[in-house]
């Protein structure tokens, strides 16, 4: 069964670092809001064509943004994870920071980032940079945690072998650390791309009031086609998107997974080996062999020789002084505190009614998040258990579910609106459905992984004892799945809060549709250029999600670790 590593790492108790990090987020948001004061009052968006001939170019633009963000995420994850794993002093700051950052609903930053960048960059460049940054923030955290966990769990005998052979840092990274982390990194890359599609589509269709931040791409193509009622174009866009997802799965991720199986140092009973027709074809290709022989191998040898030359040079001893680091830290803290104080002064200008609006919006969005999560748990538990315990069925359904999960819900949202806006409570239903579509896959894949991990002898024992179906679920299945459900639920709830930004305030068919919710509050504040409200709504959303994670999910996560972990 596939190795899935996208579980969060929640600290046992709040720390002073959390306060400083939250102050830093407030200061960062304030800086964005201050820049937004200088943003144009109206921003004209690009013309989006729904011609079939435009689809290849739009698809290339969307994939290019995803690739740029992924390259940035992978580089960041390797550097950040390596620094946190190798430097105990840096780890005390980097890991709590990473934990808070992964809890922050990224889409709540979208208006601030876009308005701030549009004040200092041309509109198109600002939208492109904002899209890449937002995709990066959806891809980087789980990659970083995966690499960090891999580095900290390398078996001691392998580390001792590296020491005996006196491997340089570069050689240790190339022959031991990266291969050991390869499988986790590739699986998390698959999840990162699936999450990145969601944010890419959201950033490509972002348009509030007189500010049109849309980007030419598949997301804006689908939205424009749905808004004009061009169902043929909608169908073409969806087919193109699914085709891209399938092609990337077949020619990128499956070959990489099949290649990475050679780095596995432990086997899992009953696991099906990864295969790839595309990798088999590359292995038999003379052109690919020539590229490996003439380009990749010499490049690797050159980097090895360069690292050996660097290691051979005598290093000048120098007295290390800590005062530059202390000065830099003090300056950074002063900047953060100044920004936090200025943010507080801006928030103080809001009336009591504004805070009541934000509070009511938080409650309404919380209800939608809870509803989407309950629906997701209700169907993923039985379906995931069946897939996870029946290998033949898993070989058919699991790839299909993986492809469906990679299709971003935001791309299909305009199609959903065509139907649901005509019904009573239409936008409320559409908002819950968008949250559900964007988050249910995290739960499903975790349940599949949990079900496949239930030992066969325990399931056979319940058969011998002739337990009823209800008793089997109560005594074996639910306790076994509990840690995996909690892990999936934490990730899913974060995604649902994120989705509220684009689900509760929609401009569709020339009309603005809005419901009560904190996501709608943030979007409406952007449209009205109410920057104090924008800052307050964003901070309230961030604080609520972090608080729920620390108070509710962290306790369930510890309960899952301590009581329901299967040894």
């Amino acid at each position: 069964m596939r190795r899935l590593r996208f579980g969060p790492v929640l600290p046992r108790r709040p720390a002073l670092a959390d306060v400083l990090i939250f102050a830093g987020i407030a200061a960062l948001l304030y800086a964005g809001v201050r820049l937004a004061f200088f943003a144009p009052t109206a921003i004209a968006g690009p013309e989006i064509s729904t011609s079939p001939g435009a689809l290849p170019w739009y698809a290339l633009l969307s994939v290019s943004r995803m690739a740029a963000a992924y390259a940035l995420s992978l580089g960041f994850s390797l550097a950040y994870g390596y620094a946190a794993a190798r430097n105990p002093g840096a780890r005390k700051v980097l890991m709590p920071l990473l934990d808070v950052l992964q809890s922050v609903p990224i889409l709540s930053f979208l208006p601030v980032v876009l308005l701030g960048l549009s004040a200092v960059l041309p509109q198109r460049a600002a939208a492109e940079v904002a899209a890449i940054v937002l995709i990066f923030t959806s891809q980087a955290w789980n990659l970083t945690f995966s690499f960090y966990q891999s580095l900290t769990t390398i078996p001691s005998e392998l580390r001792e072998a590296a020491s005996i052979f006196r491997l340089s840092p570069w050689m240790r990274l190339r022959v031991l650390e990266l291969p050991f982390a390869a499988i986790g990194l590739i699986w998390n890359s698959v999840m990162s791309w699936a999450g990145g599609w969601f944010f890419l589509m959201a950033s490509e269709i972002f348009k509030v009031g007189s500010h049109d931040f849309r980007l030419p791409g598949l997301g804006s193509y689908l939205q424009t086609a749905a808004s004009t009622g061009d169902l043929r174009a909608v169908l073409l866009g969806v087919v193109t998107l699914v085709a891209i997802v399938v092609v990337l799965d077949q020619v990128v991720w499956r070959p990489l997974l099949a290649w990475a199986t050679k780095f596995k140092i432990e086997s899992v009973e009953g696991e099906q080996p990864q295969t790839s027709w595309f990798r088999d074809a590359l292995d038999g290709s003379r052109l690919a062999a020539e590229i490996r022989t003439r380009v990749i191998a010499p490049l690797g040898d050159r980097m090895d020789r360069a690292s050996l030359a660097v290691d051979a040079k005598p290093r000048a001893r120098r007295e290390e002084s800590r005062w530059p680091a202390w000065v830099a830290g003090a300056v950074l803290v002063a900047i953060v505190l100044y920004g936090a104080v200025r943010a507080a002064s801006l928030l103080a200008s809001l009336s009591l009614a504004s805070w009541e609006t934000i509070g009511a919006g938080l409650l309404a969005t919380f209800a939608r998040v809870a509803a989407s999560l309950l629906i997701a748990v209700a169907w993923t538990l039985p379906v995931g258990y069946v897939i996870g315990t029946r290998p033949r069925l898993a070989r058919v359904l699991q790839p299909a579910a993986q492809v469906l999960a990679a299709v971003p819900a935001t791309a299909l949202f305009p199609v959903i609106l065509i139907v649901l806006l005509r019904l009573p409570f239409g936008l409320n239903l559409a908002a819950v459905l968008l949250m559900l579509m964007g988050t249910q896959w995290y739960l499903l894949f975790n349940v599949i992984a949990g079900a496949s991990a239930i030992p066969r002898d325990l399931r056979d024992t319940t058969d011998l004892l002739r337990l009823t179906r209800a008793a089997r679920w109560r005594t074996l299945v639910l306790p076994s799945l509990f840690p995996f459900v909690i892990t999936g639920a934490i990730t899913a709830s974060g995604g649902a809060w994120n989705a509220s930004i684009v689900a509760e305030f929609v401009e569709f068919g020339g009309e603005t549709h809005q419901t009560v919710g904190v996501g709608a509050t943030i979007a409406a504040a952007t449209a009205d250029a109410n920057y104090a409200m924008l800052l307050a709504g964003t901070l309230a959303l961030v604080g609520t999600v972090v608080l729920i994670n620390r108070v509710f999910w962290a306790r369930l996560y510890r309960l899952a670790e301590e009581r329901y972990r299967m040894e």
Side-chain angles (χ1 to χ4, degrees):
M1 178 54 65
R2 296 165 172 173
R3 180 184 295 190
L4 299 173
R5 283 183 172 184
F6 42 87
V9 180
L10 299 173
R12 288 187 172 273
R13 61 179 64 90
L16 178 61
D18 291 338
V19 178
L20 292 176
I21 291 168
F22 196 78
I25 291 174
L28 191 62
L29 282 171
Y30 174 75
V33 167
R34 286 297 303 174
L35 282 175
F37 281 114
F38 304 100
T41 54
I43 296 177
E47 290 293 329
I48 305 297
S49 171
T50 55
S51 165
L55 267 176
W57 174 241
Y58 287 173
L60 180 63
L61 288 175
S62 294
V63 173
S64 299
R65 291 178 193 121
M66 288 283 289
Y70 176 73
L72 192 62
S73 301
L74 187 60
F76 168 86
S77 300
L78 294 180
Y80 198 103
Y82 193 88
R86 292 294 172 202
N87 190 327
R91 186 184 311 155
K92 294 178 182 177
V93 177
L94 296 180
M95 296 315 292
L97 176 61
L98 196 61
D99 180 64
V100 172
L101 289 176
Q102 74 159 359
S103 303
V104 172
I106 301 305
L107 278 181
S108 62
F109 284 84
L110 181 58
V112 178
V113 172
L114 280 169
L115 287 172
L117 288 176
S118 63
V120 295
L121 293 175
Q123 188 263 328
R124 176 66 184 273
E128 292 284 358
V129 172
I132 292 173
V133 168
L134 287 168
I135 300 167
F136 160 80
T137 53
S138 72
Q139 293 180 336
W141 315 139
N142 59 323
L143 283 172
T144 307
F145 273 124
S146 173
F147 188 55
Y148 170 80
Q149 289 174 352
S150 296
L151 292 183
T152 55
T153 56
I154 293 176
S156 58
E157 56 267 28
L158 294 181
R159 291 200 301 268
E160 291 170 1
S163 300
I164 291 171
F165 286 108
R166 296 182 178 179
L167 297 182
S168 65
W170 162 251
M171 291 299 292
R172 189 172 63 238
L173 180 69
R174 194 172 78 83
V175 303
L176 172 61
E177 292 165 338
L178 280 179
F180 188 78
I183 295 177
L185 279 176
I186 295 172
W187 273 115
N188 277 279
S189 296
V190 176
M191 294 303 301
S192 291
W193 268 76
W197 279 115
F198 182 95
F199 288 94
L200 171 72
M201 295 295 164
S203 60
E204 284 183 349
I205 64 175
F206 198 76
K207 179 183 178 185
V208 182
S210 59
H211 297 90
D212 187 351
F213 294 108
R214 290 180 303 166
L215 286 168
L218 284 174
S220 54
Y221 179 92
L222 282 168
Q223 190 206 35
T224 305
S227 298
T228 56
D230 189 348
L231 295 181
R232 176 172 170 271
V234 170
L235 182 62
L236 284 175
V238 172
V239 169
T240 302
L241 181 59
V242 172
I244 291 173
V245 171
V246 172
V247 168
L248 287 175
D249 179 67
Q250 292 296 317
V251 305
V252 177
W253 303 123
R254 286 187 183 277
L256 283 175
L257 287 167
W259 167 77
T261 53
K262 65 181 181 181
F263 299 127
K264 185 176 289 185
I265 59 174
E266 60 183 3
S267 59
V268 179
E269 186 178 357
E271 186 171 9
Q272 300 294 323
Q274 287 286 343
T275 59
S276 166
W277 63 268
F278 189 71
R279 180 170 182 261
D280 294 341
L282 285 180
D283 287 342
S285 167
R286 293 185 61 181
L287 178 61
E290 287 292 323
I291 293 175
R292 284 196 297 268
T293 304
R294 297 181 182 277
V295 179
I296 298 177
L299 183 62
D301 292 341
R302 186 170 297 179
M303 294 179 70
D304 290 346
R305 288 195 297 271
S307 72
L308 290 174
V310 170
D311 290 337
K313 291 181 179 178
R315 297 178 181 177
R317 292 186 178 181
R318 59 183 181 183
E319 291 293 331
E320 291 189 359
S321 176
R322 292 187 175 182
W323 71 264
W326 283 107
V327 171
V331 171
L332 180 63
V333 170
I335 293 174
V336 167
L337 291 179
Y338 173 77
V341 170
R342 297 292 297 177
S345 65
L346 185 60
L347 295 178
S349 65
L350 284 175
S351 65
L352 180 60
S354 299
W355 289 107
E356 290 174 351
T357 301
I358 293 173
L362 284 172
L363 290 176
T365 303
F366 174 78
R368 294 187 192 99
V369 171
S372 65
L373 207 57
L374 288 175
I375 295 171
V377 170
W379 83 264
T380 56
L381 267 179
V383 173
Y385 177 73
V386 169
I387 295 176
T389 53
R390 289 172 172 76
R392 291 184 178 178
L393 196 60
R395 281 198 289 272
V396 177
L397 294 182
Q398 193 166 323
Q402 191 175 342
V403 171
L404 289 174
V407 177
T410 41
L412 302 178
F413 194 46
V415 185
I416 296 170
L417 288 173
I418 293 176
V419 179
L420 293 185
L421 283 181
R422 300 170 183 172
L423 302 177
F425 307 104
L427 188 55
N428 281 293
L429 294 175
V432 172
L433 192 56
L434 178 63
M435 293 175 179
L436 178 65
M437 292 172 63
T439 58
Q440 59 194 346
W441 307 111
Y442 296 110
L443 272 164
L444 177 65
F445 288 127
N446 270 285
V447 172
I448 292 174
S452 66
I454 300 176
R456 176 77 189 187
D457 53 348
L458 290 183
R459 285 191 281 137
D460 292 341
T461 302
T462 59
D463 292 335
L464 290 174
L465 294 175
R466 296 181 179 179
L467 294 181
T468 63
R469 182 171 296 179
R472 178 182 301 184
W473 272 80
R474 188 177 62 252
T475 58
L476 174 63
V477 178
L478 288 179
S480 301
L481 296 182
F482 186 75
F484 297 89
V485 172
I486 294 303
T487 298
I490 295 172
T491 313
S493 66
W497 280 101
N498 247 323
S500 69
I501 306 292
V502 292
E504 295 175 346
F505 188 99
V506 182
E507 290 192 346
F508 186 76
E511 298 180 7
T512 300
H513 304 273
Q514 179 179 357
T515 186
V516 177
V518 69
T521 301
I522 293 171
T526 305
D528 300 336
N530 186 348
Y531 298 123
M533 196 70 169
L534 174 60
L535 178 63
T538 305
L539 282 176
L541 180 55
V542 171
T544 301
V545 174
V546 173
L547 184 65
I548 291 175
N549 282 354
R550 294 297 170 84
V551 173
F552 181 70
W553 291 119
R555 293 182 179 179
L556 290 179
Y557 196 72
R558 284 197 293 275
L559 178 66
E561 278 187 323
E562 296 167 359
R563 186 171 178 179
Y564 295 111
R565 182 171 59 185
M566 192 172 294
E567 301 289 352

